[in-house]
Amino acid sequence: MNLVLEKATVNDSDYLACLNKMLIDDGGSINSMNIDELKTRMKQFLLSTYLAYFFVVDGIRIGYALINIERHPFFIRHFYVIKEYRRKGYGTEAFKQITKVLKMTDIDLKVLVQNEIGYKFWISCGLIPYDVTMHYRENR
């Protein structure tokens, strides 16, 4: 597998925001932030307790992860692979490399209920469900 991790910086916030928008749309999130809002939020994440890594294959950034490294357990806030690169083992390899680089042995993350593919992916990586977060929004 020729996937490598590349640590992102605040200067990468524009592209990270674009990938985040794809994650929001693909995952069925109710997040209505636009690209500019996502850029601002990504900068705030990267200036705080979060690290971001790009997944790079043949020089192409095919996805990313955003991880809160101050939380225990570690919290994977975002994990995304661009559609064309899915089902090729890149997500699994990226997860393995990130856990190794950050020495992550205890991890939490959230998967949207309607994201069955994401849910199955995380199960295949060895995560187990243990919590359900409920949400209510009037006037949907």
Side-chain angles (χ1 to χ4, degrees):
M1 177 81 43
N2 59 347
L3 182 137
V4 295
L5 297 179
E6 176 187 310
K7 191 172 178 184
T9 70
V10 173
N11 294 333
D12 296 310
S13 296
D14 289 0
Y15 188 54
L16 286 167
C18 291
L19 291 173
N20 187 196
K21 180 68 173 146
M22 288 185 240
L23 171 63
I24 289 166
D25 293 344
D26 289 355
S29 173
I30 60 172
N31 184 333
S32 61
M33 295 174 87
N34 65 37
I35 291 289
D36 287 332
E37 292 168 324
L38 293 171
K39 287 178 193 175
T40 299
R41 185 176 75 153
M42 194 61 71
K43 286 179 185 176
Q44 292 169 345
F45 283 141
L46 294 174
L47 291 171
S48 69
T49 60
Y50 285 85
L51 289 179
Y53 287 93
F54 289 112
F55 315 147
V56 181
V57 175
D58 298 328
I60 301 168
R61 292 173 169 173
I62 66 157
Y64 80 107
L66 181 69
I67 304 140
N68 186 331
I69 60 167
E70 293 291 317
R71 261 181 70 171
H72 183 73
F74 283 95
F75 182 70
I76 298 176
R77 185 175 186 101
H78 300 163
F79 191 96
Y80 184 73
V81 174
I82 296 171
K83 283 184 182 180
E84 305 88 80
Y85 294 93
R86 293 183 193 158
R87 312 237 4 117
K88 298 178 182 190
Y90 294 126
T92 303
E93 180 63 22
F95 178 69
K96 286 178 185 175
Q97 287 189 31
I98 287 170
T99 57
K100 196 174 290 182
V101 166
L102 295 177
K103 298 178 176 73
M104 295 187 338
T105 58
D106 202 7
I107 303 163
D108 281 342
L109 58 83
K110 292 186 179 187
V111 178
L112 297 176
V113 170
Q114 65 273 19
N115 186 353
E116 291 179 34
I117 293 169
Y119 180 86
K120 289 177 183 175
F121 168 76
W122 290 114
I123 295 291
S124 76
C125 288
L127 282 83
I128 55 170
Y130 72 91
D131 188 329
V132 174
T133 301
M134 305 295 280
H135 180 80
Y136 172 79
R137 181 180 289 174
E138 194 171 340
N139 299 322
R140 285 194 195 208

